[in-house]
Amino acid sequence: MKGREGKKDEMSGQHPANCSSGASVMINGCIGTANSTSFGTNASTFCGRSGEAGSLGLTGLQNLGNTCFMNSAIQCLAHTPKMIDYFLGDYCREINHDNPLGMNGEIASAFGDLLRKLWAPGATPVAPRTFKAKLARFAPQFSGFNQHDSQELLAFLLDGLHEDLNRVKSKPYVEVRDGEGRQDEEVANEYWQNHLARNDSIIVDVCQGQFKSTLVCPECKKVSITFDPFMYLSLPLPSTTLRTMTVTVISTDGTSQPSPFTITVPKSGRFEDLIQALSVACSLGANETLLVAEIYNNRIIRFLEEPADSLSLIRDDDRLVAYQLNKDMVKAPSVVFMHQQMEEQYIHGKLTSSWKTFGIPLVARLSNVVNGSDIHGLYLKLLNPFQIRAEEVLDDCDTSESTAVEDISQKEHGSSPVSNGFEKHPDANGVVSPSECELQFYLTDEKGIVKESQIIMGETVPAAGVSGRLHVLASWPEKYVKEYDTQLLSSLPQIFKSCFFTKRPQESVSLYKCLQAFLMEEPLGPEDMWYCPGCKEHRQASKKLDLWRLPEILVIHLKRFSYSRFLKNKLETFVDFPIDDLDLSNYIAYRNGELSNRYMLYAVSNHYGSMGGGHYTAFVHHGGGRWYEFDDSHVYPIGLEKIKTSAAYLLFYRRVVE
């Protein structure tokens, strides 16, 4: 098959001796001997004789070591209409060696030589060593053999080719005038002519369009309109604003066990979105409310009580609990119960016992004045769902707080004296001391580390502090560990558990939706403040982009790589993009009746794998409705039904002439 790994080096490939010798074959252009009907119907068609028309351009690029990102972008450019004709022709006469913004023409020469090798008749896979060396010289970020981003490479290459091939030898000074109430068409044309006065190349001719950018000051309402050139569109993936989160809901009436609920919320949403979705999922009653807390190391490290806070503060490996509370007692102080039990471990070969915290903290509301009996009864009520229902276990924990307190009261008047909720046994001297067989409660700090005063049964418990929460540490005797399901009390899922075998639900979004999200008005970030000429101050203005002038070749970059304060992530969203008819008529602000706003896909740069590595390939349309996959050295035919995947990263469209 054409494209198998070959040993022929780039330097020994067949190509014209110098740039002045024109190419006899032009593909995808206006003229040429190899048109769309000359390509074969299967793989054998381009396996034939050297120089067969159907094999032209179906040449692979050897991987020099993590250079698949470069190979993918180059193959897409190498099959771009008019670019092929230009570089297979006499392009050297337009090289601008004196442009201070260029690269002495070396990038353009290296790219042109590489393109000619790829389109040489009967060529074997090319090793792009010379081009890679030039790239590393002028763009050190691409030196070495680490994996890089094909879009970043493409952006640098297009800009470098433009400056190396800029027909303007001496750039004139251009003064930008304010719109001064003139029509947008007049101002836009003025901006464009000013741009062309300084920038004129095959890249501008083919790849550059124009934005209309509108900024509005939030204070004085000053409106500033500019018209700026663009080389490609970087579109967000709006469906990725959806995020799957799992939160455990715990009732505080002692009637049901904890239940995890998986909900979908806006990724850029706020805590109020989480509460609303969770309320629906757990069928929250009209008289109930949810108190959400983050759990770490068996304690609550924070309560999520500010509705306007961003959900981005919650990471996938966090663990959240939502306590189902009575809305009528929302202003009442609460008690946070933490649990500890005695654990034995060997330290330096010696068996040692120590108290260790365990389980999910439990939360409940308190009346204004409580005593030790109330604390004990309330705790038993919260523990009721975790009780192991066995015949040998005494059912001394009722579901109502009052019954629990009554049981304690009965023990007080029984044969065994009871104090602060614990059975007491007289010693040899008749002194009663707490038994290690009953629960013991202590006031503690928020971390549950410091044991403060012990809570006595009949004595009033100190009021909650400024936080409105009382923190209590419950020390479990061994018999309680056996009577309650501590595993259930301790199980708490992550917000999102990523697994090799389990993937997030496949999200799908239309390319038109991505475009709408890109063109939507939005406020500038605090780091992108705009200097308002009216206020004479930096303001967080609102910005609106519109498509004004579309290029002949439209490159669309799908922003799959997201960066946040805590993590870097690749978005696997499936984007449903048109292949034969991308119609942008409804998305362009300026209707130029002379040019079509319809486009046809001709190349795709794909990225497979994760953020830290992965692999790049390219899909290329090669005439006659036939598509091929370029995977470094290997070139394979591919069915049209396989073009759309969630790996699509860069989309290359050409204008359809109507």
Side-chain angles (χ1 to χ4, degrees), residues 164 296 319 408 434 457 459:
D164 270 3
Y296 182 75
R319 289 174 165 84
I408 300 167
M457 176 60 71
E459 295 185 5

Side-chain angles (χ1 to χ4, degrees), residues 116-285:
R116 287 167 176 252
K117 296 181 182 69
L118 292 177
W119 282 91
T124 55
V126 177
R129 291 191 179 92
T130 301
F131 179 81
K132 175 73 167 58
K134 296 292 184 183
L135 184 69
R137 176 184 171 190
F138 292 104
Q141 65 268 31
F142 298 118
S143 61
F145 298 95
N146 293 325
Q147 184 67 277
H148 294 282
D149 190 317
S150 68
Q151 187 272 333
E152 293 179 1
L153 181 277
L154 178 71
F156 169 80
L157 184 55
L158 287 176
D159 188 63
L161 290 175
H162 159 63
E163 295 295 354
D164 270 3
L165 298 169
N166 197 343
R167 304 178 185 111
V168 179
K169 305 302 181 182
S170 178
K171 295 187 177 184
Y173 172 76
V174 175
E175 185 175 352
V176 179
R177 290 197 303 149
D178 191 73
E180 299 173 349
R182 292 178 292 161
Q183 293 293 322
D184 283 348
E185 291 84 352
E186 181 184 348
V187 179
N189 287 332
E190 183 179 282
Y191 269 86
W192 188 247
Q193 293 306 317
N194 288 341
H195 176 65
L196 294 182
R198 297 171 57 86
N199 303 276
D200 182 15
S201 70
I202 180 64
I203 304 301
V204 175
D205 296 343
V206 174
C207 299
Q208 285 197 349
Q210 190 179 29
F211 284 134
K212 175 186 176 183
S213 178
T214 305
L215 289 168
V216 180
C217 176
E219 298 296 328
C220 70
K221 306 304 178 183
K222 166 71 176 176
V223 177
S224 174
I225 298 177
T226 57
F227 293 86
D228 307 308
F230 69 85
M231 196 92 74
Y232 49 84
L233 301 180
S234 289
L235 305 187
L237 307 186
S239 70
T240 58
T241 57
L242 297 179
R243 179 183 181 188
T244 300
M245 304 178 73
T246 300
V247 182
T248 301
V249 176
I250 298 181
S251 68
T252 57
D253 58 4
T255 58
S256 58
Q257 294 181 348
S259 300
F261 290 91
T262 300
I263 56 176
T264 301
V265 294
K267 193 170 186 179
S268 58
R270 306 186 182 280
F271 287 153
E272 58 187 350
D273 299 315
L274 169 66
I275 296 295
Q276 181 178 0
L278 195 58
S279 299
V280 174
C282 70
S283 301
L284 194 69

Side-chain angles (χ1 to χ4, degrees), residues 413-428:
H413 296 88
S415 56
S416 299
V418 175
S419 177
N420 70 304
F422 318 122
E423 243 182 88
K424 302 272 185 165
H425 302 278
D427 59 13

